[in-house]
Amino acid sequence: MAVQQSVGADPYFPANGDSRYRVHRYELTLDYRPGPNRLAGAARINAIAGRSPLPELQLNLSDFKIGRVRVDGRPAHYTHRGGRLRVRPAKPVRPGAAFTVEVHWAGNPKPVSSPWGGLGWEELEDGALVASQPIGAPSWYPCNDRPADKASYQISITTPSAYAVVAGGRLLTRTTRASTTTWVYEQAAPTSSYLVGLAIGKYETVLLGDPGPGGVPQHGHIPAHLLPRFSRDFARQPQMMELFQELFGPYPFDEYAVVVTDEELDVPVEAQGLSLFGANHVDGARGSERLVAHELAHQWFGNSVSIADWRHIWLNEGFAKYAEWLWSERSGGPGAQQLAAAAHRLVSSMPKDLRLSDPGRKSMFDDRLYERGGLTLHALRCALGDDAFFRMLRGWVALHRGGSVTTANFAAHAARYASEPLDDLFATWVHGTRLPPLPRLEGRIPARPTHPPTNAEPA
């Protein structure tokens, strides 16, 4: 298991997170009523102090009414303003000491405002969903909201029994009492706060493919009337899972779920062990299949191997973009070289002022970051050759599984697989703004894996 990066405040979101401690487990007990959009919650947060005493600490939480706050079972003084819950324990937490924070809160959850619109908890016409990237997690629970602070989660949520609850992780229990049902999910793998996904709605559940011994269970949760279209649009997801395990290494979590809401979403959103799609992403003609591949690839790149801070987001999005091209190449569509050429033409027509290694907060989700990120990996594949390139990817995922990384980490890792220095490649593609010429790749990835991995194979 990789060690998490020890970093300070995120330069893009300095008000989010507290680097003086780290959380290793969240236990959330929630009660949600869809009609009035009413959420009541209790959180037990197990954390470890850093190298200095903690006379106070900060959590991020939106505008809820706070019931009580305790640290190690004792009442704590707190203030709650501007999305920050500042907690002062009865006595300072000692350096390196384990401690527990309990928070009770209630109110009407709503998205966090951001330059990209509302993020986090979204009330739907009949249900709710959570899509938090990058700063929406405080819209529904108190958290140390920084991507490098990864923890395990147990989420218990009670809703009216007409609704299904889907969260990333393994469903432990589902208990019905009178008119309500309580769902308990466990996500044991280290998880960034923005990657805790949740969907509440009236869904049918289907199994995608037969995982077989050691395989990955894959489920879809879909409104009944969308099932025929979904069945075609997601039919090849099990083959994507096989390909990505071959190229990237074993799937890093226990299960994978996809949810299709009955409303339109601008883009699909990944969460840990879970991806959320809108009704507009199922058309019965596989019109969004590249996005199915993109969100699945994030389970390796972004979720298991996470970024230390948001400057490095190309390590999430560029890798998922290149996974789209790899799926197309293997599944009979255009090869990566053809798709890279199209991306190169597109980026060449756009302003040349984006730097992958530090795009700036305003350009975190710019199309150029996705396309140039994919092009950078294509250039690296051309430089290394297929054998070394895919060994490099599998090694990257295995080495940093459950941890967080930076662009410098990736450059150093890639260099170990190269016969010649990669300094110029990273200087031009990653740290520069000029668009280099497109390199030429000969051939395609092999038709079949030499050693197909299984989910039971050690990382």
Side-chain angles (χ1 to χ4, degrees), residues 193-262:
S193 50
Y194 82 92
L195 288 170
V196 183
L198 187 68
I200 300 169
K202 295 174 180 175
Y203 299 120
E204 299 286 334
T205 299
V206 297
L207 180 67
L208 284 161
D210 179 4
V216 182
Q218 300 174 64
H219 290 91
H221 306 272
I222 316 100
H225 71 96
L226 293 177
L227 267 171
R229 280 185 275 168
F230 174 88
S231 297
R232 176 167 173 76
D233 291 332
F234 284 77
R236 301 206 292 182
Q237 184 179 280
Q239 285 71 48
M240 292 178 192
M241 180 70 79
E242 290 179 9
L243 174 64
F244 291 167
Q245 289 197 95
E246 170 199 334
L247 299 181
F248 310 146
Y251 178 73
F253 309 116
D254 292 331
E255 303 182 11
Y256 183 56
V258 292
V259 173
V260 178
T261 74
D262 212 1

Side-chain angles (χ1 to χ4, degrees), residues 266-284:
D266 289 341
V267 292
V269 181
E270 78 274 9
Q272 188 127 318
L274 170 70
S275 294
L276 304 166
F277 294 81
N280 51 310
H281 298 125
V282 291
D283 60 7

Side-chain angles (χ1 to χ4, degrees), residues 243 246-247 326 329-331 381 386-387 390 394 442-451:
L243 174 64
E246 170 199 334
L247 299 181
L326 294 172
E329 185 169 295
R330 168 60 68 84
S331 63
R381 181 182 174 190
D386 273 13
D387 180 67
F390 290 113
R394 288 189 292 272
E442 300 299 335
R444 297 161 73 98
I445 52 177
R448 281 185 294 276
T450 308
H451 301 289

Side-chain angles (χ1 to χ4, degrees), residues 26-39:
Y26 291 86
E27 295 175 355
L28 307 179
T29 303
L30 309 171
D31 187 290
Y32 181 63
R33 306 296 153 147
N37 185 38
R38 182 74 177 174
L39 179 69

Side-chain angles (χ1 to χ4, degrees), residues 1 125 136 166 180 202 291 301 358 370 399 405 445:
M1 190 70 69
E125 189 172 313
V166 184
T180 64
K202 295 174 180 175
L291 299 176
F301 304 109
D358 190 0
Y370 290 65
L399 180 64
V405 295
I445 52 177

